[in-house]
Amino acid sequence: MKCPELRANTANVELPTHEEQEGFLALGLTTDNNGRPLHPWRYDIPDLPSTKGDLWKWGPNYTVDPIVLSQDNDGPVILLIQRGDCGQWALPGGFVDSGENPLEAARRELREETSLEITDGESTAHVCYQGPVHDRRSTMYAWPETTSILMHVPTAPVAAGDDAMTAQWVPLKDVRLLPGLYGSHGTLIDMAIRDSGTFHEQLEYFSNQVEFSQPTGGHMGYTRHIASLPTGRRVFIKRHDADKFTDETRAQHSKRYLHKEHHVYQQLSDTSPHTPDHIELTNDSTLLLEAYDPRDGWQWKAPLDITERRRYIHEVIEALRTIEPARYEPFVDVKPSYHTIIDEGWGAYPTARTRIIEKLHRSSVEGARALADSLDELYERTQHLPSPELTHFAHYDVRQSNIAWHPEHGVRIVDWSWADPAPKGVDTTSFLIDIHKAGYSIDEHMPDFNAEHALILIGFWLGHSIWPTPTHDQTVREHQISSAVAAFQLLNQ
């Protein structure tokens, strides 16, 4: 494309060759009447020199800017250099040599400027941007165009080389505090973290712009927060808190369950649309995943509207059925859930009987005393239950507070730390008990109710109802009694 408005006296002025001009047109560049390529940002950059300047070529001069991230003991870090020509902090990088692709150039520049060697298989690479950048060397007829590559690598020692004064790993949370990164490098980093960074990286990089809120409910052994990022995304933060436990054994047990939850998410991430798409375990004790926030239309309990509630129940049950056939490799550091439910429930009943009955008689839950009067009979029934075949996969803790539902986006299920092989239909049974506990009819779904598993759950919930709590608050224990009562009522139907 010709741009006739730019004319100059070109006597004794170097001009592009005919072959170069043909190349500009093939790239879709606008040229002036003398065949010189015109900077695509010329209307937005004031006072561009009307020369070719010091750059090697007319038009785009191709460069590469690797954004190299790693993780040290304190969090995400980024590799930066201090340039020898101007003293500014910058990304390592430079011009792409003839015959190189951008990734090859990035590895070479990292080796030359920081001594960091990156080989195949030890890093990930993702192109975040390709195009012009702001650069003090730009002119009307020549300018840098970069390929920005986000790379995750293991942390390794670095040392300045080539034209770098300094090379070092900088905490990602401090990058935005650095005075004036070179050229467009601040924008390139911002773009890479915003669009392609992990949740942990985004939380660190945008730390002074993150808004935190506290969700309700949840296991008492973890602290929970929702972080609203300036990108518009929300991150659910679930952190193991050892201070919330009365003894070290249970504290470690809780931490292992957090690791197991991460293990389950990893296995389900590519096979189920009903789990979060993105999950991270950081600092060995913090889980990060997408937040299904009510502010974004997500609901965490059955809708009040009858029509919507029927749809909600139907979609949850269908989601549970699709998950049952999932292939799953058990997490060996935690005892299988089905055996735990038996051992911590009816298995402990003979020694816990008196305390459970006393707890039920003190409870404010309607129906607790009637359940207490039937405990021995229920226990006797459990002694004649056949051992089930654990041929399916189950969440094992399905209740409304672990289910996010959106009228447009459907069902997402969280808190998978109990997931394990199971008999058929255990999750549907847990869900129906919870719906009945909330006061809603489940008559049309009773064919999906597994009475044997409901009986087992009664013992488990009552066994946990007498466990100590770190505070005097007994709310979670009353909820467990209420669940046991709801299951008992459904058994009597």
Side-chain angles (χ1 to χ4, degrees), residues 54-76:
D54 297 328
L55 291 171
W56 296 98
K57 299 178 180 179
W58 296 97
N61 287 250
Y62 295 110
T63 65
V64 64
D65 286 306
I67 300 171
V68 183
L69 299 179
S70 190
Q71 181 88 19
D72 67 12
N73 293 332
D74 296 320

Side-chain angles (χ1 to χ4, degrees), residues 307-348:
T307 302
E308 272 205 338
R309 184 166 65 246
R310 292 190 67 182
R311 178 183 164 199
Y312 162 84
I313 293 173
H314 171 76
E315 290 185 5
V316 170
I317 291 176
E318 285 302 308
L320 296 175
R321 285 173 177 161
T322 65
I323 288 169
E324 278 193 325
R327 296 173 65 100
Y328 172 69
E329 184 66 32
F331 187 73
V332 296
D333 290 344
V334 173
K335 184 178 179 179
S337 292
Y338 187 82
H339 300 303
T340 299
I341 289 172
I342 296 294
D343 293 345
E344 294 179 358
W346 292 115

